[in-house]
Amino acid sequence: MKEYERYVADQKVTFVAKSLEEANAGIELFYFNNNRYPCPANATLGRDDPNYGLEMLDTTSGFCMDDTGTILTGETDIVAGMIPFKTIKLPEKQALDSWNNRLSYTISAYMASTSFSEDDYGEPSITSSKPYISIEGLDTTGATVLNDQIHYIIVSHGSSGAGAYNTQGDIAV
């Protein structure tokens, strides 16, 4: 039975890797077509909500909203939710991981705003005041490294689902 369990585990890893790859490609295509990244979708919405899978963009201000409806206009505001699969025209299954939890998507609210300009990141004196998402981790030698050049991050919460939202929009336990 161990071989079968290993096979199933490998299939789940393969599926989630493909979902992450396709979500990333959808976000990049959206960026190239719109000159900004998409805002995340609200991860707490049920599948029957008309806004499920749509980016949380306030069209009047051109800025992302959080899941409470607060408009995020600050230079350092970060917005998190799920992959906005309807906005980036992906099948819903590509916004889920192998354990049927929603993939988390986090981005700087500025980079997803309609006022975003890639030119802001070309000049070092301007770039230093613009937000990136900072990720701290370990390199292959075990040393702590900090990468502050990430525009967005997509996460599967893995088999435990800790911190993920399930298909009903509830936090997984």
Side-chain angles (χ1 to χ4, degrees):
M1 192 67 165
K2 286 237 183 237
E3 289 300 316
Y4 179 73
E5 290 171 4
R6 192 177 356 253
Y7 169 79
V8 170
D10 288 347
Q11 290 301 108
K12 288 185 181 229
V13 168
T14 299
F15 177 84
V16 78
K18 184 177 181 197
S19 291
L20 291 166
E21 183 180 307
E22 290 187 20
N24 185 60
I27 289 167
E28 292 297 318
L29 182 61
F30 182 93
Y31 172 81
F32 288 116
N33 289 332
N34 297 280
N35 297 315
R36 69 174 184 86
Y37 293 102
C39 298
N42 188 333
T44 67
L45 297 179
R47 297 171 88 189
D48 58 342
D49 190 291
N51 291 315
Y52 172 63
L54 296 175
E55 68 173 332
M56 295 183 290
L57 177 70
D58 177 68
T59 55
T60 303
S61 69
F63 283 91
C64 295
M65 299 178 292
D66 65 16
D67 58 5
T68 68
T70 302
I71 299 170
L72 304 171
T73 60
E75 289 270 320
T76 59
D77 287 342
I78 301 295
V79 61
M82 70 175 289
I83 299 294
F85 67 92
K86 287 181 182 175
T87 301
I88 64 175
K89 299 176 176 50
L90 285 180
E92 179 185 15
K93 70 179 182 173
Q94 299 307 318
L96 302 173
D97 66 16
S98 301
W99 302 273
N100 281 322
N101 290 315
R102 297 170 179 181
L103 294 174
S104 294
Y105 167 57
T106 303
I107 187 162
S108 150
Y110 173 71
M111 288 184 166
S113 73
T114 57
S115 60
F116 172 68
S117 172
E118 186 71 36
D119 294 339
D120 290 346
Y121 289 84
E123 171 59 42
S125 63
I126 296 173
T127 301
S128 62
S129 69
K130 297 297 181 190
Y132 286 104
I133 297 173
S134 295
I135 303 296
E136 184 176 312
L138 301 176
D139 69 11
T140 55
T141 67
T144 301
V145 292
L146 179 67
N147 181 338
D148 62 352
Q149 300 297 307
I150 296 172
H151 289 199
Y152 61 88
I153 187 165
I154 305 169
V155 174
S156 164
H157 295 266
S159 61
S160 75
Y165 286 89
N166 62 26
T167 55
Q168 292 77 39
D170 300 321
I171 195 87
V173 269

